[in-house]
Each structure stands twice: as structure tokens, then as C-alpha cells.
């Protein structure tokens, strides 16, 4: 699996733009691709936060690290079950506010690392 993680080219309140994929409100990125992150698919909400179902798709692409954005103001939680799933799979996780999460993701992607992430672009 030699696919690289897509590059983020711009972001701001309510959007993130990804090279080759387009502009999204919230986005899932993984080595070789990504797509819109629609919380309605899994019933995600700020509490309990990011669910196991949200990260399962990322894990199929065998990332070496998963970055979970907590929103620009840090209002999005991560469920304990999600953290447990990532630990069980042996995948390190970084939880940060969106700006820091995107900065870390972008740096690792530029370095050619197999990084995946969920990015929430508002609150």
C-alpha cells in the first residue's frame, strides 16, 4: 500500500479544500483518498463525539496514525470506545483542535507518511 495521503490546500471556518478531491465542510482523509464526512451516516454529534463507525473506514486504509479534529473551538468529543478501538488496532491517535490537527496532518502528508484523519471545520 504505497498510496500517499491527499494534501490539504486551504481551510477556514466551515470548509477544507483537498487537492484532487475538492472542497468539503467536514472531511475524512486517508492514504489514497477521502470523502465528505457526513455525521448523519453514523449519528455522530458533539457528545459523545467521534464514534467507532466514523473511524472504521479510515482503518481499512491501514494508516500509521489517525488524527481526530475536535473542531475549531474544541467542542467535538471523541467517544472512549473510539479511542479503545484505535488502541486495540495499534494505531496511534492525535486529538487536536482543527487548526492544529490540519497542520499536523499536512506536515505528515508532505513527508509521505500514511496518515488518516477526520476534520470538523466549525465549532
Amino acid at each position: 500500500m504505497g498510496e500517499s495521503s491527499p494534501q490539504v490546500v486551504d481551510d477556514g471556518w466551515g470548509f477544507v479544500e483537498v487537492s484532487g478531491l475538492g472542497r468539503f465542510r467536514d472531511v475524512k482523509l486517508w492514504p489514497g483518498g477521502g470523502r465528505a464526512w457526513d455525521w448523519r451516516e453514523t449519528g455522530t454529534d458533539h457528545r459523545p463525539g467521534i464514534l467507532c463507525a466514523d473511524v472504521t473506514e479510515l482503518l481499512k486504509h491501514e494508516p500509521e496514525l489517525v488524527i481526530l479534529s475536535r473542531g475549531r473551538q474544541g467542542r467535538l468529543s471523541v467517544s472512549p470506545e473510539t479511542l479503545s478501538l484505535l488502541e486495540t488496532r495499534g494505531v496511534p491517535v492525535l486529538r487536536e483542535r482543527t487548526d492544529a490537527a490540519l497542520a499536523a496532518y499536512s506536515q505528515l502528508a508532505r513527508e509521505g507518511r500514511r496518515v488518516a484523519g477526520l476534520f470538523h471545520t466549525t465549532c
Side-chain angles (χ1 to χ4, degrees), residues 6-99:
Q7 298 288 322
V8 172
V9 294
D10 194 15
D11 73 278
W13 185 269
F15 80 94
V16 62
E17 188 171 341
V18 182
S19 180
L21 295 177
R23 189 175 171 114
F24 303 92
R25 177 179 169 90
D26 294 326
V27 68
K28 293 182 171 195
L29 298 174
W30 57 76
R35 69 177 183 91
W37 178 22
D38 182 350
W39 291 16
R40 294 172 295 188
E41 290 177 12
T42 58
T44 298
D45 204 344
H46 291 95
R47 301 275 184 273
I50 297 172
L51 304 173
C52 291
D54 294 313
V55 301
T56 302
E57 185 173 12
L58 304 180
L59 295 174
K60 292 177 185 175
H61 300 277
E62 301 178 7
E64 60 185 84
L65 172 73
V66 168
I67 298 175
L68 303 176
S69 143
R70 298 184 50 245
R72 297 208 183 264
Q73 299 170 339
R75 293 187 180 164
L76 177 60
S77 297
V78 180
S79 76
E81 295 82 6
T82 300
L83 296 174
S84 179
L85 171 65
L86 291 164
E87 183 179 342
T88 299
R89 296 280 186 93
V91 179
V93 63
L94 177 66
R95 293 178 291 162
E96 295 285 350
R97 288 183 180 217
T98 301
D99 291 341

